Amino acid sequence: QVQLVESGGGLVQPGESLRLSCTVSGSIFSLTVMGWYRQAPGKQRELVAVIGSGGDIHYADFVKGRFTISRDNAKSTVYLQMNSLKREDTAVYFCKANWAGDYWGQGTQVTVSS
């Protein structure tokens, strides 16, 4: 069974940074496509960034230049480094693993507020 555990969310002020982590078990992580999504209150879940098994990366336009997705296959972990956070980045952030199906983490709250 594929399981994902996220961590790293919290409350920060605008302009500050956070790093989210998502550790995966139960899959061949190096072959797994990993993505970060977010869902703000009253809005649909949206893609933030995705990194393929070969390291190819795609970002949503609203995070380009501010967020960086990376993966450490030895640790079965994907990261999302978020810099220059804005109030509109406030959301629950989810990681998703695609390996013989889609699997989601439980989500971690990111709140950007002064």
Side-chain angles (χ1 to χ4, degrees):
Q1 183 178 0
V2 179
Q3 294 185 321
L4 293 77
V5 178
E6 298 138 340
S7 61
L11 171 64
V12 296
Q13 295 187 350
E16 293 186 338
S17 299
L18 278 176
R19 189 176 81 154
L20 306 182
S21 300
C22 174
T23 300
V24 181
S25 60
S27 78
I28 303 175
F29 184 79
S30 61
L31 301 181
T32 303
V33 177
M34 297 298 304
W36 285 100
Y37 292 72
R38 70 186 187 185
Q39 188 167 18
K43 294 187 177 181
Q44 290 189 328
R45 193 171 297 188
E46 60 185 355
L47 173 68
V48 175
V50 62
I51 183 167
S53 56
D56 47 308
I57 290 172
H58 171 76
Y59 293 105
D61 286 343
F62 55 77
V63 301
K64 284 182 179 177
R66 300 190 298 125
F67 292 9
T68 303
I69 190 171
S70 60
R71 64 191 297 157
D72 184 338
N73 288 341
K75 296 182 178 180
S76 297
T77 299
V78 63
Y79 304 98
L80 186 67
Q81 177 66 43
M82 305 187 293
N83 299 329
S84 302
L85 282 161
K86 304 176 181 180
R87 289 181 177 82
E88 51 264 42
D89 294 319
T90 295
V92 179
Y93 284 71
F94 299 87
C95 68
K96 186 181 84 168
N98 177 262
W99 184 75
D102 288 340
Y103 302 88
W104 293 87
Q106 80 283 359
T108 185
Q109 177 70 47
V110 172
T111 302
V112 185
S113 175
S114 55

